[in-house]
Amino acid sequence: MELDPDIVKEFENLEVATEKPSEEELCSFDEEAPLKATPQLQHHTYSTIPKFFHAPPPAHNTLRQNLRKEAHSLFLQKRSQELLDNDELGALWTLLEKHCTQVTPLGQQLIDYDDYLKLLEAVSAKCKKYVTARLYAKLLCHSMYPANFAGKVEIASIFNYTMRKVWLTQGRIGLSFYDEIGQGYLREIDMENYIIDIIPTLAQISSCVQPSFQSFYVCTVVKKFFFFLDPLHTGRIRIRDILASGLLTELLELRDEEAPKETQELNWFSMPSVLTVYGNYLNLDKDHNGMLSKQELAGYGTGTLTSVFLDRVFDECRTFDGEMDYKTFLDFVLALDNRHEPQSLHYLFRILDVQHKGYLTAQTLHYFFKGIQEQISAVNAEAVNFEDLKDEIFDMVKSKDPFKITLQDLINCGQAETVVSILIEFHKFWAYENREDGSHNV
């Protein structure tokens, strides 16, 4: 499509203003006012440019705030009515079985495109939004069946896709009801309200959580969402990120009250897991003041975190009169328990980056190695040469700059958990040093 010559000429003659606007000009700016043409912008199309951003109404405008919330609620209710319920999903499965084209020797039920078209005519109007020709084409592209079953897809794949899409949409609508601002993300208070409201639906939790412990349970749950989905501490997480992360799926697994105990213990959101974390916090709190001092935190895990590392934790993390509260402790636990994850490495790198330069040097590594040396001396173990350790670390990381290690270098190398562990924890360091002869005890 060719551009209008008049428009091209307008842009060629357009001058870029370099003078800073005065305060009067800034104060007179009204985002609601229509676009006014300047002498250089006379083309008739400029006055009809649509507004592509609508800022939320100010807090003091109660009428617009309430109108926005009501419109948002009505929209979500309408979307909820489009979801398939259990009866409709059951009817879909019945139709899928009815239109099955072929059954494999292993019992998989397949459907070809001709029968799929007949299925599309038979399903309800609501189902047609889920079961589409595009879906069939996508599933066919990923079909791994041999030539005698070519051109067919498994009906279970169609049904599972529909089930998952219904669940994701349902989850998005449910979370969106707590998005008071209506911008597609949740603040910490929004997420807390959501968790409180769904606790009665979580069979594994509702029957055992005491009112006095509920706030600690909610805090523990919400902290994991924000630790992994808001590593930059913006104070909000996108709803789409919550759905994509899999964390919500893990939380909603607690609806199954018959899940084995082993499975529950592996789920951060389960009551046994939360009680373990909270119990550790209480056990470390020797003076029972509800906070952890540096000396108390030193007992965490194997009790071999170096004093140098703990000093840096209390330098960088939020504390109250030099002591750590439960929320800060949860960040600490999540970081140490998930050292292979980028979010944890982001947390730990901030601790290691003593000079806030955005990279680690040999000098930085030596600073943390001093903490390891202290514990080596304390157990009368054989001394370790720092130069050898430094070379090993740089060999593992393979950083772009041979004298600097950035956070991205750590994430990319695949050895970040080992590198970080041997700098901050004597127990992990000793296991690494003696990995070949199996002598892990000191």
Side-chain angles (χ1 to χ4, degrees), residues 17-295:
T18 57
E19 184 179 353
K20 187 177 180 181
S22 66
E23 289 190 14
E24 285 186 9
E25 290 173 319
L26 289 173
C27 292
S28 64
F29 175 75
D30 180 5
E31 65 169 5
E32 299 294 337
L35 183 67
K36 296 179 180 179
T38 65
Q40 292 135 329
L41 302 176
Q42 295 294 340
H43 197 275
H44 67 89
T45 59
Y46 295 157
S47 61
T48 60
I49 296 176
K51 187 173 182 178
F52 55 87
F53 173 73
H54 297 273
H60 61 80
N61 194 328
T62 309
L63 181 61
R64 287 186 63 194
Q65 285 277 4
N66 291 338
L67 180 61
R68 182 186 180 90
K69 288 180 182 179
E70 184 64 22
H72 187 229
S73 177
L74 290 173
F75 170 75
L76 294 176
Q77 289 175 26
K78 182 180 178 181
R79 292 298 303 272
S80 296
Q81 293 168 2
E82 297 173 359
L83 295 174
L84 301 178
D85 58 28
N86 290 336
D87 291 339
E88 289 167 323
L89 286 169
L92 172 61
W93 178 252
T94 301
L95 287 171
L96 281 167
E97 287 189 311
K98 183 179 178 181
H99 290 83
C100 173
T101 305
Q102 189 176 4
V103 180
T104 70
L106 295 177
Q108 291 114 329
Q109 297 172 291
L110 307 180
I111 184 171
D112 63 17
Y113 192 61
D114 289 335
D115 285 327
Y116 188 76
L117 289 176
K118 296 175 184 176
L119 171 73
L120 295 185
E121 294 177 0
V123 298
S124 66
K126 286 172 70 174
C127 259
K128 282 184 169 64
K129 295 181 179 180
Y130 297 90
V131 185
T132 62
R134 182 185 293 271
L135 169 62
Y136 188 91
K138 285 183 177 181
L139 294 175
L140 188 61
C141 288
H142 294 88
S143 177
M144 304 295 291
Y145 289 103
N148 54 324
F149 300 119
K152 303 178 182 69
V153 300
E154 194 173 349
I155 67 170
S157 299
I158 299 170
F159 186 76
N160 290 338
Y161 168 86
T162 307
M163 283 272 290
R164 179 165 178 77
K165 188 168 183 180
V166 168
W167 178 86
L168 284 173
T169 308
Q170 189 177 47
R172 187 178 186 91
I173 292 171
L175 290 167
S176 296
F177 274 111
Y178 295 83
D179 176 15
E180 291 193 1
I181 301 177
Q183 295 293 299
Y185 58 79
L186 300 181
R187 301 163 299 171
E188 191 167 333
I189 184 64
D190 302 326
M191 197 67 197
E192 288 175 354
N193 290 333
Y194 172 74
I195 300 300
I196 290 171
D197 286 348
I198 69 167
I199 283 178
T201 71
L202 306 177
Q204 294 180 32
I205 303 300
S206 59
S207 59
C208 55
V209 64
Q210 299 297 321
S212 58
F213 187 69
Q214 180 172 288
S215 61
F216 290 99
Y217 177 79
V218 172
C219 175
T220 308
V221 170
V222 170
K223 180 54 71 175
K224 183 168 185 177
F225 280 92
F226 275 82
F227 181 85
F228 284 104
L229 303 181
D230 183 31
L232 299 180
H233 304 287
T234 62
R236 64 187 192 181
I237 48 181
R238 294 193 306 172
I239 291 175
R240 62 186 299 177
D241 290 341
I242 295 174
L243 296 171
S245 69
L247 292 177
L248 189 61
T249 304
E250 185 180 355
L251 174 63
L252 295 181
E253 284 175 359
L254 303 180
R255 290 174 173 174
D256 180 13
E257 59 183 336
E258 297 180 358
K261 186 177 180 181
E262 296 76 15
T263 304
Q264 293 184 39
E265 290 174 350
L266 295 174
N267 188 328
W268 170 270
F269 305 117
S270 70
M271 188 55 69
S273 178
V274 172
L275 287 174
T276 298
V277 175
Y278 186 67
N280 288 339
Y281 183 78
L282 294 181
N283 290 334
L284 291 171
D285 182 18
K286 301 301 183 183
D287 59 6
H288 306 293
N289 69 340
M291 307 281 279
L292 298 183
S293 65
K294 193 182 305 179
Q295 292 72 28

Side-chain angles (χ1 to χ4, degrees), residues 1-9 43:
M1 183 180 69
E2 294 184 359
L3 291 174
D4 188 326
D6 293 336
I7 297 180
V8 174
K9 189 174 181 180
H43 197 275

